Amino acid sequence: MRAGDPRLWIWAEALQLLRGAEQRQRQFFAVVSSHSLPCWEPLVDAYQQGDELKLFVALPGVSAAQIEVVLEENGLVVRGHRPRPGPLQRAAIHRLEIPYGRFERHIALPPGNFQLLTQFVEDGCLTLVLRRF
């Protein structure tokens, strides 16, 4: 391939995208030490339409009963625990990329006062719907 070959540019772009994906994966599974106990932080997407704010928190394998949501003056806290599957407690680990154990995420909210209208877990995501009042 020549230096001006468009395939080189495409290859460089693909490598850059892979590096970005790996970095986001490391951030998702990073253990946070700023809390009193070690925990991991789930990823969050936030969308606003008018006075409604929707948050999607990535919590694969976590049931609604294992999640606590607290609306605070300056934001929202989502915390809980993702247990390791019982039958695998004594299994030899060959790869461990999915986080287990305690999780906690502090989410800053846009200016204003919000109330939590709805929360549910579906397809590995906690969905929170808040409304500004």
Side-chain angles (χ1 to χ4, degrees), residues 18-91:
L18 283 172
R19 281 190 207 107
E22 288 173 354
Q23 181 182 13
R24 284 187 293 282
Q25 182 185 28
R26 281 192 298 275
Q27 288 172 341
F28 180 73
F29 299 123
V31 174
V32 180
S33 61
S34 64
H35 307 285
S36 58
L37 298 171
C39 63
W40 57 275
E41 286 187 319
L43 296 176
V44 175
D45 287 343
Y47 300 91
Q48 185 169 356
Q49 287 183 305
D51 289 339
E52 193 170 276
L53 181 66
K54 278 192 179 181
L55 302 172
F56 300 95
V57 185
L59 293 171
V62 179
S63 72
Q66 296 164 315
I67 301 169
E68 177 187 5
V69 177
V70 179
L71 189 58
E72 297 180 337
E73 187 175 311
N74 59 346
L76 186 77
V77 178
V78 177
R79 67 172 65 99
H81 186 266
R82 181 172 192 259
R84 191 171 301 157
L88 303 178
Q89 291 292 336
R90 296 184 182 266

Side-chain angles (χ1 to χ4, degrees), residues 48-53 71-73 109-117 129-133:
Q48 185 169 356
Q49 287 183 305
D51 289 339
E52 193 170 276
L53 181 66
L71 189 58
E72 297 180 337
E73 187 175 311
L109 298 176
N113 295 317
F114 288 88
Q115 70 181 61
L116 182 60
L117 295 179
V129 180
L130 297 103
R131 180 163 306 221
R132 180 180 283 130
F133 62 94

